[in-house]
Amino acid sequence: MENSKNLIIIIFGASGDLASRKLIPALYSLKTQKYMPGRYVIIGAGRTKITNEEFRKKMSEAIVSFSEEKDIDRSQIAGFMNDLYYFPIDYSSVSGFTELKTYLQNTDNEYGIGGNYIFYMATPPGLYEIIATNLA
């Protein structure tokens, strides 16, 4: 399996249980197995108002608790955390999505991603439509 192109992964609902128990540990595992691209960024987006550092601490703890990796190397986790960010957003706010667009463009330029984005909704199904509509 070859690595995909450089990318930004945006996880809506990133402060929730699915992201911390499954998604972030799985992405970490892909990183340790060298299946992540050379340049990538993971942006957690959610309604919870937390900082990048608080999010990184929570996800670091989640990797230790829920990763299927047998040997957890905390220095590898620390390296993985460097490319993990958090963006607080109100899903019903059009201006929040305008700010997210600007944030994505700036991050894309900084990392040289090239516009390759994956959006993942780790939210209740009732939020899918409003998030998709505001993304458009």
Side-chain angles (χ1 to χ4, degrees), residues 12-105:
F12 291 100
S15 59
D17 202 45
L18 177 60
S20 62
R21 287 180 175 266
K22 298 292 183 182
L23 299 176
I24 297 299
L27 290 169
Y28 169 76
S29 182
L30 288 174
K31 172 71 175 173
T32 62
Q33 295 173 44
K34 301 188 183 348
Y35 288 126
M36 290 294 281
R39 284 181 281 170
Y40 70 92
V41 178
I42 301 167
I43 299 173
R47 296 180 288 190
T48 304
K49 303 277 190 222
I50 58 175
T51 65
N52 284 331
E53 289 310 313
E54 290 168 324
F55 182 63
R56 288 173 177 167
K57 183 177 187 298
K58 178 180 177 180
M59 293 303 116
S60 179
E61 292 168 358
I63 289 169
V64 171
S65 297
F66 302 112
S67 177
E68 293 181 4
E69 295 292 312
K70 294 192 185 334
D71 295 317
I72 300 289
D73 181 350
R74 291 192 186 266
S75 65
Q76 275 191 314
I77 293 174
F80 181 74
M81 290 298 123
N82 290 333
D83 299 315
L84 189 68
Y85 298 91
Y86 187 80
F87 187 87
I89 188 168
D90 175 0
Y91 299 136
S92 62
S93 167
V94 174
S95 65
F97 281 84
T98 302
E99 291 171 14
L100 177 61
K101 179 181 179 181
T102 301
Y103 185 78
L104 289 175
Q105 289 169 335

Side-chain angles (χ1 to χ4, degrees), residues 3-23:
N3 291 8
S4 61
K5 295 180 179 180
N6 299 331
L7 65 96
I8 296 176
I9 301 170
I10 302 95
I11 302 172
F12 291 100
S15 59
D17 202 45
L18 177 60
S20 62
R21 287 180 175 266
K22 298 292 183 182
L23 299 176

